[in-house]
Amino acid sequence: MTGDTPHNVHADSADFIRALGPVTKQGLALSQRDASRIREGIAAAIGISDAELARQLSKAQRAKSQADIDAETTRLIQAMQSH
């Protein structure tokens, strides 16, 4: 993939998972490392390589629409305000 360094793919895939996870008053509850561990576990459970799952989740993260991003931001703000 042109322009995709391993760090970017892994960071993007972790961000995809973090955006779906819990939020607290401080923000996203999952760290990138937590999200990476979750991704590694899912990859092992479904029998694909972690690198392949990271690539697929990275693609999904980069394909998010502005509406997706806005919805995630709204969810985060609401959770931070309600705690």
Side-chain angles (χ1 to χ4, degrees):
M1 289 178 168
T2 305
D4 286 337
T5 64
H7 172 75
N8 289 339
V9 168
H10 286 90
D12 286 346
S13 67
D15 288 343
F16 181 87
I17 293 169
R18 291 178 74 215
L20 298 172
V23 292
T24 67
K25 186 171 181 144
Q26 292 75 35
L28 296 173
L30 295 174
S31 69
Q32 280 200 334
R33 182 66 192 135
D34 292 336
S36 293
R37 287 184 184 140
I38 291 167
R39 187 194 64 238
E40 291 165 0
I42 291 169
I46 62 175
I48 66 171
S49 73
D50 178 54
E52 178 58 27
L53 182 56
R55 278 191 294 277
Q56 294 301 320
L57 294 177
S58 178
K59 284 182 192 177
Q61 177 68 9
R62 288 181 282 129
K64 286 182 179 176
S65 68
Q66 188 59 50
D68 295 332
I69 295 166
D70 291 347
E72 289 172 358
T73 302
T74 298
R75 183 177 82 93
L76 179 60
I77 291 169
Q78 288 174 341
M80 292 173 71
Q81 290 174 341
S82 69
H83 282 61

